[in-house]
Every structure is written in structure tokens, then in C-alpha cells.
Amino acid sequence: MASPPPPPASAAAAAGATNSVFVYGTLMAEEVVRVLLGRVPPSSPALLPNHQRFSIKGRVYPAILPVDGSRVSGKVFRGLTDGELDVLDIFEDEEYVREIVGISLTESSDTMLAYAYIWGNVDDPDLYGEWDFDYPFKHCLLKMLI
């Protein structure tokens, strides 16, 4: 038996959606979020201070770890339901740890708290360099969605 589809945007509002999530990798693509949640929640460009985004050897998605003096650009999705947050938890898998972080909105410099998925293995030898959203993501994953 197939799982029921995710709730539409109006149902999310009725369910008292209150979660915000900072995203910095594959979830920055609205096409991916729409497939996962059945909608694209409102978002704003944001920065996560004192963290760095890394490429992961052999994978098309990135990791972030705390690194003093660095910052990660991304966006924050607002108004996610607890159920939608559960879907993102499953998507991110056990290699990531969901933590509450302080971010700043780039359009207003306002700050807020949001969840972010932090790489769980700070000593991972497969982390290297800076991850590039345009490649391999746009060239590989988006083709799978089209």
C-alpha cells in the first residue's frame, strides 16, 4: 500500500507549522524540496557563521562542520510542520545530526534560530575542499528529477 502524499501548503498552515531549517546543499534546490515535501515552504537567503561546507569524497552532497571564522551561505525554510521535519530527518540519514544553530538573514541582517543538519563525523577523512552547488548537483541530481 502506498504512503499518503504529503499535506498541501494549506494543511501545513493549519497544522501550526513552526519549524525553520537552514539548508546549504541539495535542499537548496526547490525541485528536491518539492519532491520530498509536496510543496516549497517560504525561504530566505541566510548565512551560518562559524561553520564550513565541505565536499565528501565519492558523494554529490556536502557536509558542514563547525569552523571558527568561516561561514556557510544557504537559505532558511520557514513554516515546516513536525511531519515535514521528520521527512527531512529521513532524507538526511544518520550521518547528519540535526542541531539548533544561529543564522543571519542576508537581506535584512536579522538573526534567528533554525535547525541545521551537521555532519556527525568531525574526523571524517573523506571531507575535502569547498562543495560546489553547480557541479555535480545540477549536472547529476537534477537530471534524475526531470
Side-chain angles (χ1 to χ4, degrees):
M1 175 183 254
S3 300
S10 59
T18 59
N19 299 300
S20 296
V21 177
F22 175 80
V23 299
Y24 54 86
T26 54
L27 290 175
M28 289 194 305
E30 291 184 354
E31 298 90 342
V32 174
V33 174
R34 187 174 290 109
V35 167
L36 292 171
L37 304 182
R39 71 182 187 105
V40 178
S43 67
S44 300
L47 292 171
L48 174 60
N50 296 314
H51 285 75
Q52 183 174 340
R53 178 175 30 219
F54 295 93
S55 292
I56 309 169
K57 190 183 303 180
R59 305 190 196 190
V60 297
Y61 52 86
I64 60 172
L65 287 173
V67 174
D68 286 339
S70 293
R71 65 183 185 177
V72 174
S73 62
K75 64 173 140 181
V76 60
F77 285 110
R78 294 179 309 280
L80 279 77
T81 66
D82 290 343
E84 290 171 328
L85 198 57
D86 291 342
V87 169
L88 296 183
D89 286 347
I90 293 167
F91 177 76
E92 294 295 353
D93 208 7
E94 69 265 354
E95 292 178 308
Y96 293 89
V97 177
R98 180 168 33 105
E99 296 181 9
I100 296 175
V101 296
I103 60 171
S104 61
L105 304 178
T106 56
E107 295 174 346
S108 66
S109 297
D110 289 342
T111 60
M112 64 180 286
L113 296 177
Y115 289 114
Y117 291 92
I118 311 296
W119 193 247
N121 182 358
V122 297
D123 298 318
D124 191 333
D126 291 335
L127 300 182
Y128 69 97
E130 175 71 20
W131 184 78
D132 179 12
F133 178 78
D134 290 325
Y135 189 89
F137 178 69
K138 282 190 175 178
H139 295 93
C140 299
L141 289 183
L142 284 182
K143 288 180 184 179
M144 290 183 216
L145 297 173
I146 298 173

